[in-house]
Amino acid sequence: MDTAKKIKVLIADDESIVRKGLRSTVPWEQFGMEVVADAPNGLKAWEAFLEYRPEVVITDIVMPEMDGIELSRKVKEAAQNTKIILLSCHRDFEYAQQGIRLGASGYLLKTAFEDEELEGMLRQFQQDLSAPSSRAPQDGERLKTLLFAWLNGHSDKFPAELATLHEGQWHFDGQPLYIYLIRTAECGSSWNGLLQDAGHDDRSMCEGMLIPYGEEYCYWVVPDSLRGAADSLLVESKSRCGKLQWSRRGSLLHSDDLKEAFQSLHKEAELERIYGVSGEDWPEPIWKAVNLLHSNPSADWSASELAEEVGLSRSHFSILFKKAVGDSFIAFQYKRKLRLASGLLRDTTLTMQEIAERTGLGDSKYFSKWFKRCTGQTPSHYRNQQKGEAPRTE
């Protein structure tokens, strides 16, 4: 089998002997597979997943940095069709069940499984992944994974991929490009689904340019020559589903322009998701102010500085801010920093000092005191609780 067409496998286990054993004793060639990477912990495995985009992940459940359950969750969020095998010990059975619920294909007891058991799973994976319907969207899945990882701060590989696409598949004879972020929340279907329901079988203008982002979002890259058709299609679709929404950036001539447009649309969507409003719901200066706050989380803006930045007097800014947002500027800052800190504790392995710096809360000691005053919990206790770990003594 051509190496380029082999099914890629990632192995994650903190025991070197397990990783080496799986690499050397399993007849990977027999199943059209190759091990592209192995990792000693969940965090390294996640980084390797983003780099190689393997179709099969074999992971231990109990690992340092990030356990196999969290790794499985992140992998499935980024690439739903990835096959996952969990390696566990007897005492990890409940965790294995949790992994199965997340979409893992099965689990093996490290101390007792037979070669035939693993090989049976690999043989089934080979059949599933070699089917044309499963392998056709591979490039799109990889692009979706890279975009998701980049927008969420996990990897910086997407901009390079974007530059390559702009020189090749997305060149369109040098035409300016437009990027739409389509939101289908409450529509009961994805954007592709809405098009299919409307009988749009000829969607050649969408080929290679649609990038799904979660269940309710989709990025759509369109050349200038198809912008009118894209707008008409969106308006037609909205007439059937009033909840359909979209934002657009253009006219984009360079890959750096595309990069900034993706970031801008993502930030706008995040603000809308968090506050339940769009740019049209708030006065432009307030929307701009909130955008600045979220774009510069470590900056310690005062009301006077932000008012000047958006072209208002301090008093007018404070009144307008409270009326539009519902909180005073100080209360809003308090809640924003707490939300950001909680997310970093829950979703990353950053140190307390790094989180303090990212939230603009000084050093780790001050951050710990501030977080406990706000929540009644120390940051460490909150992190352990969210990750389902036993609390450590402070």
Side-chain angles (χ1 to χ4, degrees), residues 138-373:
Q138 215 174 73
D139 289 342
E141 283 288 327
R142 179 175 178 274
L143 193 59
K144 180 176 73 172
T145 301
L146 291 176
L147 177 62
F148 179 90
W150 176 61
L151 289 176
N152 288 276
H154 302 310
S155 168
D156 60 357
K157 297 183 182 299
F158 181 76
E161 187 77 11
L162 191 60
T164 301
L165 285 168
H166 193 224
E167 292 175 0
Q169 190 177 355
W170 293 359
H171 187 260
F172 297 105
D173 297 322
Q175 292 184 56
L177 299 182
Y178 290 78
I179 300 179
Y180 295 78
L181 177 56
I182 303 170
R183 298 179 286 285
T184 57
E186 300 181 57
C187 287
S189 180
S190 65
W191 174 235
N192 259 334
L194 290 176
L195 292 176
Q196 290 172 347
D197 292 343
H200 290 283
D201 296 322
D202 182 11
R203 305 205 316 278
S204 59
M205 68 179 181
C206 304
E207 288 300 320
M209 294 181 291
L210 281 177
I211 310 176
Y213 188 86
E215 296 181 357
E216 299 178 346
Y217 294 87
C218 178
Y219 288 92
W220 190 15
V221 182
V222 174
D224 185 61
S225 59
L226 293 176
R227 178 164 54 99
D231 288 339
S232 297
L233 193 55
L234 285 162
V235 172
E236 176 192 335
S237 298
K238 189 170 179 64
S239 70
R240 293 190 303 274
C241 177
K243 297 292 186 180
L244 181 68
Q245 295 181 324
W246 64 88
S247 302
R248 187 183 72 190
R249 295 291 187 275
S251 154
L252 311 169
L253 288 169
H254 307 289
S255 58
D256 283 345
D257 298 333
L258 293 170
K259 173 183 168 183
E260 291 176 9
F262 274 109
Q263 291 175 315
S264 174
L265 288 167
H266 175 68
K267 288 177 183 176
E268 183 177 305
E270 282 294 284
L271 291 178
E272 292 183 7
R273 181 182 61 81
I274 292 170
Y275 300 109
V277 298
S278 68
E280 299 174 356
D281 298 320
W282 283 345
E284 185 178 349
I286 301 305
W287 183 258
K288 182 179 178 182
V290 173
N291 215 331
L292 284 169
L293 291 171
H294 280 269
S295 299
N296 305 277
S298 62
D300 192 17
W301 295 90
S302 68
S304 298
E305 291 169 338
L306 206 52
E308 182 179 355
E309 186 71 24
V310 300
L312 297 175
S313 68
R314 186 190 183 286
S315 59
H316 187 197
F317 172 77
S318 297
I319 293 170
L320 195 60
F321 193 95
K322 176 69 182 294
K323 183 178 179 180
V325 178
D327 284 320
S328 69
F329 176 73
I330 293 175
F332 178 85
Q333 281 282 69
Y334 166 91
K335 292 179 180 179
R336 182 182 69 87
K337 288 180 181 288
L338 183 59
R339 185 186 300 111
L340 177 60
S342 299
L344 291 173
L345 287 167
R346 182 183 63 248
D347 300 329
T348 76
T349 57
L350 293 173
T351 65
M352 298 305 163
Q353 180 60 38
E354 289 170 329
I355 293 176
E357 292 171 359
R358 289 201 183 192
T359 53
L361 289 166
D363 60 24
S364 58
K365 288 185 179 179
Y366 176 79
F367 167 68
S368 295
K369 290 179 181 178
W370 176 85
F371 190 87
K372 187 172 184 180
R373 186 170 69 248

Side-chain angles (χ1 to χ4, degrees), residues 124-140:
Q124 184 62 54
F125 293 169
Q126 182 184 25
Q127 293 175 9
D128 294 345
L129 294 168
S130 297
S133 60
S134 296
R135 296 189 65 83
Q138 215 174 73
D139 289 342

